[in-house]
Amino acid sequence: RGRIEFHGVDFTYPNRRRPTLRNLSFTVEPGELIVCTGPSGAGKSTIAKLLLRFYDPTAGRILLDGLDIRDLSRESLRDNITILQQENLLFSGTVRDNIAYGRPDADMDDIVRAAVLADVHDFVNTLPRKYDTPIGQRGRLMSGGQRQRLAIARAILRDAPVLVLDEPMTGLDALTAARIMEPLNRLMAGRTTILITHDLRFIPETARQIVLEPVRGRAGRIRVKPAGRRDT
Ligand code: ADP
Ligand code: ADP
């Protein structure tokens, strides 16, 4: 489970004349990691928005396990594709609420197990109110690294076969970013992962890359590079 296919995907934002993506085709096999890279404005996040169906392609199709994602129910889509974004943390609520968001059936054991894998359990245990601690608006009572680990715990608990990571290292200093690699790898293990980043420092050599190269005023060139090669 978890094969993603883009077939000749074009996308033009409703309020724009020029396409952002043109004729984008690639396949990600179940459990495979693919890195989507390119400079700011190249269209990387647009790929995430299409996968989550904030928008649908102007032309072409996106398939999940052979089915057009337009034919999936909202529930089925969210059970199958998860995005990791710090901004997705609830505006308020406790550590427990935030990890369990989207999984109302999860019990405390499930929540703690996810927190352990995400390397956030030890930290939560040092808090006076532990899992009942409010995280503050958009998690502002937590540090950036802790917020990111809470988001990882939530994604682990969601357990979707396809994962979209949109700039997971952005806003983190080098040390915090390095510390997050281990929980991130635990989250990615066995899941189809589309990793969107302009930060090439943390990209594994084994990953295939989609390189978006913007061209002024129109959709850029798109190259799909095999694993083990990179430009920089
Ligand atoms: P990246 O993630 O590579 O930085 P984006 O996918 O965010 O790039 O943006 C690609 C292009 O689409 C940019 O030119 C950006 O200005 C434009 N864009 C992004 N979001 C919107 C939107 N909601 N409406 C119109 N244009 C947008
Ligand atoms: P999902 O993330 O499962 O697709 P929704 O589409 O309902 O869920 O919500 C989108 C985002 O809105 C969530 O990721 C979350 O950040 C925010 N959100 C949803 N419900 C709440 C809530 N009760 N309180 C605060 N934020 C919420």
Side-chain angles (χ1 to χ4, degrees), residues 13 15-16 20 38-47 49 55 196:
Y13 280 100
N15 55 345
R16 291 203 164 218
T20 293
S40 182
K44 302 183 297 296
S45 296
T46 302
I47 293 176
K49 290 181 203 169
Y55 298 95
I196 294 167

Side-chain angles (χ1 to χ4, degrees), residues 61-125:
R61 299 195 309 154
I62 301 172
L63 308 185
L64 168 66
D65 296 324
L67 291 176
D68 195 318
I69 62 171
R70 298 171 90 139
D71 296 331
L72 298 175
S73 68
R74 197 181 141 72
E75 292 70 32
S76 172
L77 192 69
R78 87 161 66 174
D79 284 350
N80 279 289
I81 304 180
T82 275
I83 184 161
L84 181 83
Q85 275 182 322
Q86 294 178 38
E87 311 88 79
N88 275 355
L89 291 177
L90 299 187
F91 297 165
S92 54
T94 65
V95 168
R96 180 208 315 256
D97 297 337
N98 275 281
I99 296 177
Y101 179 75
R103 280 291 308 274
D105 59 306
D107 62 24
M108 207 52 215
D109 284 349
D110 299 327
I111 291 168
V112 170
R113 210 175 298 122
V116 168
L117 288 170
D119 274 353
V120 80
H121 174 72
D122 288 344
F123 162 71
V124 172
N125 252 343

